[in-house]
Amino acid sequence: MSGRIRSSRRPLIVAAGAALVTAFAGGAMTRIDDWYRGLEKSALNPPDWAFAPAWTVIYALAVLAAVSGWKAARTSAERAWLISLFFFNALLNIAWSGIFFTLRRPDWALAEVAMLWLSVAMLIVLTVRFSRAAALYLAPYLAWVSFAAWLNYRVVVLNGPFG
């Protein structure tokens, strides 16, 4: 029985751990410094304090999506594909922060955010086949990345060229 309980918690432990690693890695690369404060931004840019709660909700929903998808996957191949896509998405999520904030290249980050958006869309397309709930949990993530891409675009337009 205890082995069964542990294996039933495995998706949650793995997904939550991956979300925490992603959040901390991306956060470590996010520097709200004089360079960032000096950028012209869209009038719709949220205040700096709003990003942490927004990402917290998105990561929590992504964990729910991953767990729902993991449990609903019909085969180990589907499960492996799902985990791979979530892993790739996490790498893209972290990379955006590094490119935008650490490298100070909003222009490159704009190209990268398109790949991040596609990875979220691919997750939705994959998960909806066997877990409508998982796909719905990812919808706010796609909306947020769409908004972030637009904000990134405005930074490029208002401040470019970079490099």
Side-chain angles (χ1 to χ4, degrees):
M1 179 79 163
S2 66
R4 187 174 179 189
I5 291 171
R6 267 188 246 125
S7 68
S8 69
R9 290 184 184 162
R10 185 176 306 155
L12 178 60
I13 291 166
V14 170
L20 287 171
V21 168
T22 303
F24 284 118
M29 290 188 221
T30 301
R31 298 185 190 133
I32 306 301
D33 57 9
D34 291 339
W35 173 81
Y36 178 75
R37 285 187 200 95
L39 292 172
E40 292 288 326
K41 298 175 200 75
S42 165
L44 296 178
N45 204 79
D48 295 340
W49 63 262
F51 286 91
W55 276 111
T56 300
V57 169
I58 288 164
Y59 286 135
L61 290 170
V63 167
L64 291 173
V67 171
S68 296
W70 182 321
K71 289 181 176 182
R74 294 176 294 260
T75 66
S76 59
E78 282 181 342
R79 191 172 300 111
W81 182 235
L82 179 72
I83 292 167
S84 297
L85 278 177
F86 269 104
F87 178 76
F88 182 64
N89 174 266
L91 291 178
L92 290 172
N93 190 305
I94 294 165
W96 184 90
S97 295
I99 295 167
F100 190 99
F101 289 102
T102 304
L103 297 179
R104 296 182 175 184
R105 291 302 304 249
D107 51 344
W108 294 353
L110 183 59
E112 196 277 350
V113 80
M115 292 186 294
L116 177 59
W117 189 94
L118 284 171
S119 75
V120 179
M122 285 175 55
L123 280 167
I124 291 170
V125 168
L126 175 65
T127 59
V128 76
R129 295 185 313 179
F130 47 87
S131 175
R132 178 175 237 130
L136 290 173
Y137 291 141
L138 291 168
Y141 187 12
L142 188 64
W144 182 256
V145 171
S146 299
F147 181 57
W150 187 82
L151 293 174
N152 190 159
Y153 168 75
R154 294 302 300 157
V155 166
V156 170
V157 168
L158 296 170
N159 298 277
F162 295 92

